[in-house]
Amino acid sequence: MTSAGITGNAHLAWQQRLLEELAKGSDLLCLEVLGQRFVVRWGRAVTRQQRVAMSSAWARCIAGPEPLLPPVPAEPTGGRPFTASVTCTSSKHSAGTFQLEAASFEELAENLTSRLTVSAILANAGELTMLHACGVADPGTGAVVALVARSGTGKTTAASVLARIYGYVTDETVAVAWDGSVVPYPKPLSVKQEAGTPKRQVGPDEFGLQPAPAMPFIQSIVLLNRVQAPHPVAPVLEKVPLADALLALIPESSSQGDVVDPLQSLCRLIESVGGVWQVTYAEAADLPGSLEPLFRLQSTSGQEWEAAAPDAARRPPLPAGSIRRRASRDAVRIGGDLLVMLDNQIVRLSGIGPALWEACSAPRGLDELTEHIAEVHGEPEGYRAAVATAVEQLIAKSVLERGEH
């Protein structure tokens, strides 16, 4: 039998199993999330009406049936009767399954959204730059403005307002590929309700949001800064210095540390969109007018950064008492500052910090470091004590390390 015949038989078998499941009322939900495929199989406590509601909420992420059938959801426990079983595949990972259970359908729906997002982010780690942001796109050009903010500070509200005019890309994760293209994630919007209750998962169609264009690409990155104001105030849009932008974006990115040269990669992205902006505003209704210019091409300046010398791939043992910088994931110079990424944390070095870090590419004694700093920065009164203090501070921050006696 040919491979095509085997494939055809497998597809027929899958269709038969799918029909059987649908006849039982399973209503499998097949989704594509950031390029990853998921199939959701509901437990028996989830009603027909609730299944239809979830299909409607996820309508813009619906994918064709996959030849995968999730296992039967776990038997419900007394306090958590709502269950679901989810099978996922990706180009990099084989099929995997996770089970969900919850005390209410609303909790199950919120948990499903969270798990799908996290699973897709982990599957794309190292491949995409993923900003914790809502994204909206010009329907004519495909230009995307990413609005970056912490959870609970206005992303979903901003998306629900802006995407009535612009195409709805996501209210959660703006995923940017190496060529600047954006992978849409038009998930249900997670809307806050009463304190202590799960967020309601509302489909973009229910909000009347515009569809995302066919080929979206990143055009601008904006930090959302929502403030409380006793009276109406106009939004203020201002450019963010590059070092400050990096420090703001890294905590609001997912798996950036898995990208090759994570700081340099983010610098190149920022450079490609003409820098990062911040909008300070009180009401989301005021955002469309103030952000309109950011959907157009931004002027760029010369490169503001340069890569710092990388650490050697193989590091010999550190002699007792000697000082050396710890291995870093990446480091960039911006003006007189040096930003060093250690794991997923960035440390910003200024003053004599960059010179100390550079000098410690190989093991050095404190006297040798002090002489080096004197050559670079001069010998003001008390400079020896200042160098010793700075070294101890950098050791405490895990930027430098000292060999044990």
Side-chain angles (χ1 to χ4, degrees):
M1 182 179 292
T2 65
S3 59
I6 294 174
T7 302
N9 289 339
H11 183 67
L12 289 173
W14 158 248
Q15 285 186 322
Q16 181 60 38
R17 294 180 70 187
L18 176 60
L19 289 173
E20 292 173 358
E21 286 299 313
L22 292 176
K24 297 175 186 175
S26 286
D27 296 330
L28 299 177
L29 183 60
C30 302
L31 303 173
E32 181 167 328
V33 178
L34 296 177
Q36 314 307 312
R37 307 299 289 268
F38 296 86
V39 183
V40 182
R41 184 177 183 180
W42 303 109
R44 60 174 178 265
V46 181
T47 68
R48 173 71 177 171
Q49 182 179 5
Q50 290 167 339
R51 299 173 195 204
V52 170
M54 288 301 284
S55 294
S56 176
W58 284 94
R60 297 193 189 180
C61 296
I62 294 291
E66 283 283 308
L68 294 168
L69 185 64
V72 175
E75 283 299 311
T77 59
R80 305 177 72 82
F82 291 87
T83 60
S85 176
V86 184
T87 293
C88 54
T89 61
S90 75
S91 58
K92 297 192 301 180
H93 304 283
S94 57
T97 297
F98 57 85
Q99 300 276 344
L100 297 172
E101 58 179 23
S104 67
F105 170 70
E106 291 75 16
E107 182 186 355
L108 179 68
E110 182 180 23
N111 291 348
L112 175 65
T113 299
S114 177
R115 286 295 300 272
L116 290 177
T117 301
V118 171
S119 295
I121 285 173
L122 292 176
N124 284 298
E127 301 292 334
L128 301 172
T129 294
M130 295 174 282
L131 301 176
H132 193 210
C134 76
V136 289
D138 184 300
T141 66
V144 174
V145 172
L147 301 141
V148 181
R150 300 187 306 276
S151 294
T153 58
K155 293 192 310 302
T156 296
T157 303
S160 66
V161 170
L162 288 163
R164 288 184 169 92
I165 302 170
Y166 300 101
Y168 173 63
V169 176
T170 186
D171 78 330
E172 173 63 35
T173 301
V174 174
V176 185
W178 63 270
D179 60 355
S181 60
V182 171
V183 182
Y185 180 24
K187 58 179 281 294
L189 288 82
S190 299
V191 179
K192 290 182 180 178
Q193 302 189 97
E194 298 178 6
T197 61
K199 293 180 180 178
R200 180 171 169 250
Q201 307 305 300
V202 183
D205 292 325
E206 186 175 339
F207 267 127
L209 305 188
Q210 300 296 317
M215 298 179 66
F217 62 92
I218 191 68
Q219 182 67 79
S220 297
I221 299 173
V222 184
L223 303 176
L224 284 181
N225 180 31
R226 190 176 186 181
V227 297
Q228 299 293 328
H231 50 78
V233 294
V236 176
L237 191 64
E238 54 191 342
K239 206 68 168 287
V240 180
L242 178 57
D244 295 336
L246 284 172
L247 290 169
L249 290 178
I250 285 292
E252 302 308 327
S253 63
S254 299
S255 303
Q256 184 63 19
D258 292 327
V259 175
V260 176
D261 300 327
L263 291 183
Q264 297 177 56
S265 173
L266 199 51
C267 282
R268 285 190 287 269
L269 173 60
I270 293 171
E271 190 175 41
S272 73
V273 298
V276 171
W277 296 83
Q278 176 175 279
V279 61
T280 301
Y281 70 105
E283 298 296 334
D286 298 327
L287 288 175
S290 61
L291 297 180
E292 190 274 335
L294 299 186
F295 289 90
R296 299 191 293 270
L297 183 65
Q298 305 301 310
S299 59
T300 59
S301 57
Q303 183 170 313
E304 301 178 55
W305 62 278
E306 61 176 339
D311 292 313
R314 300 182 66 180
R315 292 155 60 90
L318 184 59
S322 294
I323 300 162
R324 180 178 63 190
R325 69 192 190 203
R326 288 186 180 273
S328 60
R329 289 179 178 267
D330 200 7
V332 294
R333 298 186 193 88
I334 302 173
D337 290 351
L338 180 73
L339 272 63
V340 181
M341 189 172 193
L342 306 166
D343 295 326
N344 287 317
Q345 175 192 7
I346 295 184
V347 179
R348 184 177 189 171
L349 305 181
S350 56
I352 64 174
L356 281 172
W357 188 85
E358 293 284 0
C360 289
S361 58
R364 309 285 184 189
L366 180 58
D367 289 342
E368 190 178 0
L369 286 175
T370 304
E371 292 175 7
H372 175 78
I373 295 302
E375 293 175 2
V376 175
H377 288 277
E379 301 181 13
E381 184 178 353
Y383 81 95
R384 290 184 176 277
V387 171
T389 299
V391 166
E392 294 303 323
Q393 290 174 341
L394 294 179
I395 290 174
K397 291 181 178 180
S398 297
V399 176
L400 304 180
E401 58 182 342
R402 179 187 285 118
E404 297 183 0
H405 290 285

